[in-house]
Amino acid sequence: MRKLGEAYEKNNEFQKAANTYYQEANIHKKRGDTQTYLAVKAKADALNSEINIYIDAKTKAPSSALAKYEPATGMYFGAYVEQDESLKKGGNKYTNFNNVTGKKHAIFYNYHKYGQDFPTEFAKAVKEAGGAIHLALEPGSGLNAVKDDAYLRKFARDANESGIPIFLRFASEMNGPWVKWNGDPTLYKQKFQLVSKIMKEDAKNVAMAWVPNSVPADKIDIYYPGDAWVDWVGVNLYSVPFFNGKSSEPAEQVNPLNLLDPIYETYAKRKPIMIGEFGASHFTSVGNNDKTKFGITKMNMFYHGLRMKYPRVKAVHWFNVNTLQAPYVAADRRLNNFSLTEKPAVLQAYKNIVQNPYFQSDIVNGPYVKKGEDVGNTAVSLQGLSVKQTVTGQGFIKTYDPYISKVVYKLNNKFLSESTQYPFSFKLEHQTLLKGENKLDVIVFDSKNREAVRKTITFKKGSL
């Protein structure tokens, strides 16, 4: 089956190749070979084409119980900005970042060593900027240092006294061998449960976030502490042109949303999902190459894809760091530039994304904040829908080619519009729709301007 997939791929029959690799992947999954399953599935995902069309709509959220600080609809957006020198030229750097990006961020995050006092000044500054804090609390001395003692109790009390919503990401990326708290799932779960217990007792404003890395994906679930101890489930992932800074490991075809899928499929029905860290590189150390097009494309793909396809993702955080120059980045990790503020085109792309009202600036539904609205902007599938007014549509679209040159829309066999970047927007004027059934043809062209894939969406004209 592998050879058949490779033959299809060599012959540019990419969808047949993808389908063949998916079949092979499922065989490995049934055999219990999770590692091979994930590797082969990644090959299929890279070649697979997908067209899903949505419209923006006001929707009432389901009447299910919400987790601490979970918004009923929409998504918080946040960032890590501690190493951005451009923000330190007077005033509050978090307010400065909000001003630079054109919208108030809901959350700012930071890394914090276990054993150090609660970061009161950080919390105070973020509170002044109107945000919440997200702390990656890291037990660098090992898990055995984590105890129900005076330090942890004081940390919890100080957190509560800060008067600000806190997402506590304790010992994240535990599934990766690069952290000191990796390797003993049982001990890890015990310590996470202990920290969660103390926060529940002494810090009513702390939401516990369990956040593994996207890889290795086959080592994630064994570290899950249990629903009773986790408020939010998250994942850290990045979009880079090359894996590990190696020219022999190109990664431009990778859809970053696929790295989310293992977490989302397992936990989204039980917990709100958080993207703990994300960044899309716009410059790589491999050949010292400018990758602005890559960075902007993956940024748009990821943020708009979350909005359209992953309604249970309720928070996303950008890692605003140029790792090529930042002083606190290890030498072997100086591989990519994720800075939002260094390149005007990258900053403008981000500003355009977060202006969408789906991305929320204010934390709701918990201590020290107001109750949130249960009606908000959501993306609703156009297929089979009754369209009752003029609407804006958008597409989550991908092909075997990471760079789509354009998407052409035809309404009832007549040219409607075209778009060249996510979210591939179009407009449906209600008065131009036919009575009864309407047909929207979506034609997608790859980077060489060849037709890659097409799909027909049917919907009806409705009335208010």
Side-chain angles (χ1 to χ4, degrees):
M1 189 166 289
R2 174 67 62 86
K3 289 184 178 180
L4 178 59
E6 291 173 346
Y8 280 135
E9 190 174 354
K10 187 176 181 179
N11 201 39
N12 293 333
E13 296 179 272
F14 298 112
Q15 195 57 52
K16 288 183 179 179
N19 294 341
T20 303
Y21 289 139
Y22 281 131
Q23 292 177 27
E24 180 191 348
N26 286 332
I27 291 172
H28 294 299
K29 185 177 183 180
K30 290 178 181 178
R31 291 174 176 170
D33 186 351
T34 304
Q35 194 169 28
T36 305
Y37 158 72
L38 291 169
V40 178
K41 182 178 180 295
K43 288 176 64 69
D45 288 338
L47 298 175
N48 187 50
S49 290
E50 176 184 349
I51 296 176
N52 289 293
I53 303 299
Y54 303 86
I55 65 166
D56 285 328
K58 289 281 188 181
T59 304
K60 184 178 176 63
S63 58
S64 56
L66 297 172
K68 186 181 290 185
Y69 297 127
E70 178 187 354
T73 62
M75 183 190 312
Y76 303 136
F77 67 112
Y80 172 76
V81 302
E82 300 305 309
Q83 298 187 49
D84 191 332
E85 295 298 322
S86 71
L87 304 175
K88 301 175 182 179
K89 298 177 181 179
N92 184 308
K93 64 184 170 185
Y94 310 107
T95 299
N96 291 345
F97 185 71
N98 289 337
N99 292 337
V100 167
T101 55
K103 191 172 179 180
K104 182 167 75 74
H105 283 62
I107 306 171
F108 287 96
Y109 78 92
N110 205 347
Y111 303 92
H112 196 76
K113 293 181 180 179
Y114 190 91
Q116 293 183 340
D117 290 343
F118 177 81
T120 301
E121 292 305 312
F122 170 60
K124 181 180 178 181
V126 173
K127 186 177 181 180
E128 288 176 353
I133 66 170
H134 162 186
L135 280 183
L137 185 60
E138 301 182 334
S141 298
L143 289 169
N144 286 321
V146 179
K147 301 175 182 178
D148 185 350
D149 57 11
Y151 162 73
L152 191 53
R153 289 288 177 176
K154 183 177 187 301
F155 186 97
R157 291 193 300 270
D158 290 346
N160 188 62
E161 290 174 8
S162 70
I164 186 174
I166 299 170
F167 298 87
L168 188 63
R169 190 204 328 169
F170 173 72
S172 62
E173 300 191 0
M174 74 303 296
N175 57 316
W178 54 85
V179 297
K180 294 183 179 180
W181 44 94
N182 167 264
D184 189 338
T186 299
L187 180 62
Y188 173 86
K189 288 185 285 189
Q190 290 173 353
K191 298 302 183 178
F192 190 102
Q193 291 166 1
L194 172 64
V195 173
S196 180
K197 172 180 176 292
I198 291 173
M199 296 303 148
K200 288 178 185 297
E201 291 173 355
D202 293 350
K204 63 182 180 181
N205 59 326
V206 167
M208 292 295 297
W210 176 74
V211 185
N213 196 273
S214 61
V215 293
D218 60 329
K219 303 296 184 182
I220 290 176
D221 297 334
I222 57 174
Y223 285 91
Y224 186 59
D227 287 352
W229 309 104
V230 174
D231 296 304
W232 289 62
V233 167
V235 62
N236 294 345
L237 60 99
Y238 288 82
S239 191
V240 294
F242 300 93
F243 291 125
N244 304 307
K246 297 180 180 178
S247 60
S248 59
E249 298 181 21
E252 291 198 48
Q253 281 188 307
V254 176
N255 171 6
L257 292 164
N258 291 141
L259 303 176
L260 163 64
D261 286 339
I263 283 286
Y264 196 85
E265 292 167 2
T266 301
Y267 299 99
K269 290 182 179 179
R270 296 143 60 184
K271 299 291 178 180
I273 304 298
M274 166 191 292
I275 307 301
E277 300 176 15
F278 176 74
S281 172
H282 55 82
F283 194 95
T284 174
S285 63
V286 178
N288 288 322
N289 280 321
D290 186 289
K291 287 291 183 180
T292 300
K293 183 178 180 180
F294 172 88
I296 290 174
T297 297
K298 297 300 183 180
M299 177 199 298
N300 275 283
M301 184 183 204
F302 191 70
Y303 275 69
H304 287 300
L306 291 176
R307 181 174 60 83
M308 287 186 259
K309 294 184 62 184
Y310 297 84
R312 291 290 295 154
V313 174
K314 299 297 183 78
V316 59
H317 304 83
W318 187 275
F319 182 71
N320 178 46
V321 176
N322 180 352
T323 69
L324 302 170
Q325 299 177 358
Y328 303 110
V329 176
D332 63 342
R333 304 312 300 166
R334 293 177 177 269
L335 306 174
N336 292 283
N337 189 348
F338 303 107
S339 170
L340 290 173
T341 59
E342 290 185 12
K343 193 169 292 184
V346 174
L347 176 60
Q348 188 61 53
Y350 183 79
K351 291 170 70 172
N352 292 343
I353 290 169
V354 300
Q355 284 306 310
N356 190 296
Y358 191 82
F359 297 100
Q360 297 190 17
S361 296
D362 297 309
I363 303 296
V364 294
N365 300 328
Y368 302 125
V369 293
K370 65 182 181 180
K371 185 180 184 301
E373 302 290 336
D374 62 357
V375 175
N377 288 285
T378 58
V380 179
S381 176
L382 180 61
Q383 177 63 47
L385 196 67
S386 177
V387 176
K388 300 179 180 180
Q389 58 189 4
T390 295
V391 296
T392 298
Q394 59 263 318
F396 182 81
I397 298 167
K398 74 166 292 291
T399 75
Y400 52 84
D401 188 330
Y403 303 110
I404 293 169
S405 63
K406 64 180 177 181
V407 176
V408 174
Y409 294 104
K410 292 183 178 180
L411 179 62
N412 298 319
N413 298 317
K414 295 181 180 179
F415 176 82
L416 177 65
S417 63
E418 67 178 53
S419 180
T420 59
Q421 181 59 274
Y422 290 94
F424 301 114
S425 298
F426 60 93
K427 195 170 187 178
L428 292 176
E429 299 284 354
H430 189 259
Q431 65 269 24
T432 66
L433 301 180
L434 301 176
K435 290 183 179 180
E437 188 171 271
N438 287 257
K439 181 175 68 172
L440 182 73
D441 291 313
V442 188
I443 307 103
V444 184
F445 295 82
D446 66 16
S447 61
K448 297 180 180 178
N449 211 33
R450 302 173 299 189
E451 182 177 322
V453 63
R454 64 167 60 204
K455 185 176 182 179
T456 299
I457 308 295
T458 58
F459 61 95
K460 294 181 179 180
K461 180 178 182 178
S463 57
L464 291 175

